[in-house]
Amino acid sequence: MVIDGEIEVQIEEKDVVSERQFWGNTLIMYALGEPLSMNAVKKFMMNTWNFVSLPELYYNEEGYFMIKFHSQADKDAVLIRGSYTIYRKPMFLHEWTPEFQLKDDLLRVLPLWVIFPQLPLLYWGEDSIGKIASAIGKPILMDECTTKKLRVSYARVLIEVDVTIELKDTITIKTPNGEKLRQQVDYEWKPPYCKKCNKVGHQCKQKEKKAWIPKQKEPEETIPMIQAEKKDDRGKQKEVVTEENPWLQVISNGKPHRALRFESREKLDCTNEFDVLGVGECSTVNETVT
């Protein structure tokens, strides 16, 4: 169709049904740091995700991979066992949607495992945990220990969180009887986010402004001086000696310097109690010493 002089193409729902089904069990994988190769990611999947059928792998030049699983069960099994690192780099797995955009979604909204310590057992139902998790972000799934109540010390939920917003440490739960409960929120990992660069993965160091404080000079010690001045061979003033103080003031290039004075007023006694060893005569001239 031509509308206001511009060509407009109309895509109907029936035109995209096949592609929705094709990419339905797909995860978007992105790793912080240097870009990864296809072989590196395939090796990781074979070694780490050996409990599911090997998924198909697609690479996008924007720096992320599309991992297409053979079933919804395989995709959920991989998500439940996260989080993952690849070559010591944090790995993010994001569910594919038709509206997915790398810059808008993957680098801003990240899936994080969130823990609710000592969550009351009354609120362990799927609906209750879903509402509680929605206060943090978009709930994706709960781990197996939470769904089957194999571990009741904390509930663990995978949630898509906007990392550009400060992550919450507590939330308020209003109980059926009207009471309010403060629930603690923990994160298995908080991604660093630089507000200056608007990027995930690092934080620019802010230079600390140091206030200049003038250095106070210590009061100089007053030393009594005598009027006698010593001069060197060239007739220049060399030093000024104090009267009754072990310190003297040395004048060099017109600037005074303090130095410790040592004067030998008595002759030093350099003798000791040992006599010089004498050389004795051998009893036998031809005696051999061994």
Side-chain angles (χ1 to χ4, degrees):
M1 296 180 296
V2 178
I3 300 178
D4 296 333
E6 294 184 2
I7 299 177
E8 186 176 287
V9 179
Q10 176 66 46
I11 301 294
E12 299 179 357
E13 183 63 27
K14 64 179 181 179
D15 300 327
V16 299
V17 171
S18 59
E19 297 306 309
R20 287 183 184 273
Q21 295 176 351
F22 182 83
W23 298 107
N25 297 322
T26 300
L27 292 177
I28 308 298
M29 191 275 281
Y30 175 79
L32 294 179
E34 297 295 328
L36 300 170
S37 65
M38 292 278 289
N39 292 333
V41 178
K42 285 183 178 179
K43 184 178 179 180
F44 168 84
M45 293 191 303
M46 294 175 63
N47 295 334
T48 309
W49 297 342
N50 51 14
F51 51 89
V52 298
S53 300
L54 185 66
E56 300 176 11
L57 185 64
Y58 304 86
Y59 176 71
N60 190 290
E61 292 183 353
E62 289 189 357
Y64 64 90
F65 295 86
M66 302 186 69
I67 304 175
K68 182 178 178 294
F69 292 87
H70 297 282
S71 65
Q72 178 74 25
D74 287 353
K75 184 185 73 171
D76 292 343
V78 168
L79 287 174
I80 288 175
R81 297 200 183 188
S83 53
Y84 303 99
T85 58
I86 178 170
Y87 294 97
R88 299 181 180 181
K89 303 174 183 178
M91 174 188 288
F92 301 107
L93 296 174
H94 191 288
E95 282 197 288
W96 175 83
T97 60
E99 297 79 18
F100 169 79
Q101 295 291 333
L102 174 66
K103 295 182 180 180
D104 296 336
D105 293 339
L106 191 57
L107 299 183
R108 180 178 59 86
V109 180
L110 301 177
L112 303 178
W113 281 105
V114 182
I115 295 175
F116 301 99
Q118 302 301 328
L119 180 68
L121 298 180
L122 186 62
Y123 313 126
W124 278 62
E126 183 177 351
D127 294 338
S128 297
I129 290 184
K131 288 183 178 180
I132 295 172
S134 64
I136 306 300
K138 179 183 177 182
I140 301 177
L141 52 83
M142 300 181 292
D143 67 353
E144 184 178 4
C145 292
T146 302
T147 55
K148 297 182 179 181
K149 299 179 177 62
L150 302 177
R151 174 206 60 238
V152 294
S153 56
Y154 62 88
R156 183 169 177 261
V157 187
L158 185 63
I159 307 176
E160 289 184 353
V161 182
D162 189 347
V163 297
T164 62
I165 304 175
E166 185 177 358
L167 302 181
K168 299 179 180 180
D169 295 328
T170 59
I171 58 175
T172 302
I173 300 175
K174 190 174 182 179
T175 63
N177 57 9
E179 297 181 357
K180 292 184 179 181
L181 172 67
R182 296 294 293 176
Q183 174 62 49
Q184 181 181 345
V185 181
D186 295 334
Y187 302 86
E188 290 190 354
W189 180 71
K190 290 184 178 182
Y193 178 75
C194 182
K195 295 182 179 181
K196 182 178 180 181
C197 303
N198 295 326
K199 291 183 179 180
V200 177
H202 79 284
Q203 289 179 336
C204 291
K205 294 182 179 179
Q206 297 181 356
K207 296 183 179 180
E208 297 182 358
K209 295 182 179 180
K210 297 182 179 180
W212 180 80
I213 301 177
K215 186 177 180 181
Q216 298 180 356
K217 295 183 178 180
E218 297 181 358
E220 297 182 356
E221 182 181 356
T222 304
I223 303 176
M225 298 289 177
I226 63 174
Q227 299 299 325
E229 297 181 353
K230 296 184 179 180
K231 297 184 180 181
D232 57 12
D233 298 338
R234 293 174 293 179
K236 293 184 179 181
Q237 183 177 335
K238 185 177 181 181
E239 61 183 19
V240 179
V241 186
T242 62
E243 181 70 28
E244 296 178 353
N245 197 299
W247 294 92
L248 59 84
Q249 183 176 3
V250 179
I251 306 292
S252 177
N253 295 328
K255 296 181 180 180
H257 302 278
R258 297 185 65 190
L260 184 64
R261 178 181 61 184
F262 175 79
E263 294 182 0
S264 178
R265 303 195 179 188
E266 298 181 1
K267 185 177 180 181
L268 295 178
D269 185 7
C270 299
T271 62
N272 55 47
E273 298 178 358
F274 296 94
D275 295 331
V276 179
L277 295 177
V279 180
E281 296 181 358
C282 296
S283 59
T284 307
V285 177
N286 295 328
E287 182 178 358
T288 302
V289 180
T290 60

